[in-house]
Amino acid sequence: MFMVWLKYAPQQPTSAPVIPRQGTKEVRGPRRVNVVLAAVREYLKYAVSIGSAPTWVIDQLYEVGDGRDLPTEVRGEYGVPHGYAKVRHRLHEPDEPVDRATDEEIVALVRACRSARDRLIVLLMARAGIRRGELAGLRRADLHFVLDARPLGCSVPGSHLHVIRRDNINRASAKSRNSRAIPVDALLMQAHDQYVIERARNAAAADSDFLLVNLFRGRIGAPMRLGAINELISSLSRRAGLQRRIRPHQGRHGFADNVMAAGGKLDELAELLGHDSPLSSQPYLHPSHERLRDAVERVPSPRLFLEGPHS
């Protein structure tokens, strides 16, 4: 009953009973309902632990069993069965495919840019797979756009950039605690060179160590805000005449899809995206119908080789 109430109760408090009928629109989706249920379960577990709620409450929340019906690998040390608990109340959350920005949309965004800085932002997301927070937190020293970075004290070969987690004044931060180096291509290097020339014309931006700074509005020379990147991509989507509004993360999805389409491996993609485990990269694997057809057509047709005089 509580789950039904969560799905249909209005956002504003009301004393009217919640009675869903045919055609009644849900107020909260499965994901939001599950989040509330998780919080309630934790509260009730705490109440049981301090004695303010009876212990049978746990049986109402979890299906408790032992591990004898589980595979040997997960039974515990020396095969001793461990107890486990399965949540009783949880709604199924449908898998939503990760949406990507197509190559055509990225090209349209680049063409809609009115500055070298904006072009660099679009290309860093689409050609390096950088998150919005990582993008706004980049420092100029993080870019090693040289063939040999050893004189800079860096052993990573070839042109690349470093993503490093820091506390930044614009509240931008890398999601992963582990730093990573991302190789870059000639297109990104050219876009960066054009931005360096554009930025050099503004004396107020000279002292900032941040890569991306305000050049046209706001406090000139200050690092770009996270929200400013969202506003930029939305504005470019409208200016390019796209049928939908592109979000910053969709450029990252497009990068991941292109890496896999070019023959990349899952461990390579995980390293490029900054995932601790290759399993975290699996949601980004959303092959197009063209890729699926190509995969099938790459499988050779079976042939029956006859032996003997009639072969």
Side-chain angles (χ1 to χ4, degrees):
M1 293 177 62
F2 178 53
M3 294 169 69
V4 173
W5 183 87
L6 283 175
K7 291 173 63 176
Y8 296 102
Q11 298 285 357
Q12 300 298 328
T14 177
S15 58
V18 177
I19 305 177
R21 297 179 174 83
Q22 185 176 2
T24 302
K25 185 178 180 181
E26 295 183 2
V27 177
R28 299 169 186 85
R31 181 171 301 176
R32 180 59 181 169
V33 171
N34 287 337
V35 168
V36 176
L37 291 175
V40 172
R41 279 195 298 269
E42 292 302 314
Y43 171 77
L44 291 175
K45 284 166 58 179
Y46 172 73
V48 171
S49 68
I50 64 175
S52 62
T55 56
W56 56 260
V57 170
I58 298 297
D59 292 333
Q60 301 295 315
L61 299 176
Y62 297 93
E63 179 184 352
V64 182
D66 59 37
R68 281 176 288 189
D69 59 335
L70 298 177
T72 305
E73 293 79 7
V74 297
R75 286 188 185 178
E77 190 174 7
Y78 306 115
V80 178
H82 288 178
Y84 69 94
K86 180 180 179 181
V87 173
R88 292 183 182 272
H89 309 95
R90 181 178 177 84
L91 293 178
H92 172 69
E93 299 181 18
D95 294 330
E96 298 179 358
V98 179
D99 194 9
R100 63 157 293 178
T102 66
D103 292 343
E104 292 77 12
E105 289 171 332
I106 293 298
V107 171
L109 293 180
V110 172
R111 288 177 174 173
C113 291
R114 296 175 178 173
S115 70
R117 184 202 64 180
D118 296 349
R119 285 194 296 271
L120 179 61
I121 290 173
V122 174
L123 291 175
L124 281 170
M125 292 186 297
R127 301 291 296 177
I130 299 181
R131 299 181 180 94
R132 183 190 63 154
E134 297 169 343
L135 184 62
L138 281 176
R139 307 297 179 90
R140 289 190 286 178
D142 296 336
L143 275 60
H144 294 171
F145 287 3
V146 291
L147 295 178
D148 186 359
R150 285 177 296 181
L152 303 176
C154 177
S155 60
V156 178
S159 299
H160 62 278
L161 62 85
H162 291 270
V163 176
I164 302 173
R165 188 172 186 177
R166 302 183 180 93
D167 292 328
N168 298 308
I169 58 175
N170 60 350
R171 299 184 179 179
S173 176
K175 185 176 181 180
S176 175
R177 295 183 180 275
N178 298 323
S179 303
R180 70 185 190 276
I182 303 176
V184 299
D185 58 9
L187 183 62
L188 258 177
M189 295 175 63
Q190 182 181 15
H192 173 258
D193 291 343
Q194 294 173 352
Y195 169 58
V196 170
I197 297 173
E198 178 182 77
R199 174 173 169 155
R201 300 192 189 106
N202 196 320
D207 295 333
S208 177
D209 184 41
F210 282 85
L211 174 66
L212 302 174
V213 295
N214 297 333
L215 296 178
F216 313 106
R217 62 177 182 175
R219 188 163 64 90
I220 305 301
M224 289 187 66
R225 300 177 295 105
L226 291 175
I229 295 178
N230 290 66
E231 295 168 5
L232 170 64
I233 302 302
S234 297
S235 175
L236 292 177
S237 300
R238 294 191 300 268
R239 196 181 306 159
L242 299 180
Q243 296 182 352
R244 62 172 181 166
R245 179 175 65 88
I246 302 299
R247 299 186 302 275
H249 216 59
Q250 289 175 298
R252 177 176 167 86
H253 298 164
F255 168 78
D257 196 27
N258 289 338
V259 167
M260 299 306 293
K265 303 297 189 295
L266 193 58
D267 60 334
E268 297 170 346
L269 180 63
E271 182 67 24
L272 290 171
L273 297 181
H275 291 157
D276 294 333
S277 168
L279 297 178
S280 302
S281 304
Q282 288 185 342
Y284 292 85
L285 309 183
H286 37 84
S288 63
H289 293 293
E290 290 77 13
R291 279 180 56 192
L292 294 176
R293 177 169 295 279
D294 290 341
V296 172
E297 292 180 349
R298 286 196 299 268
V299 179
S301 299
R303 296 288 187 269
L304 180 61
F305 297 97
L306 299 177
E307 297 180 358
H310 300 292
S311 61

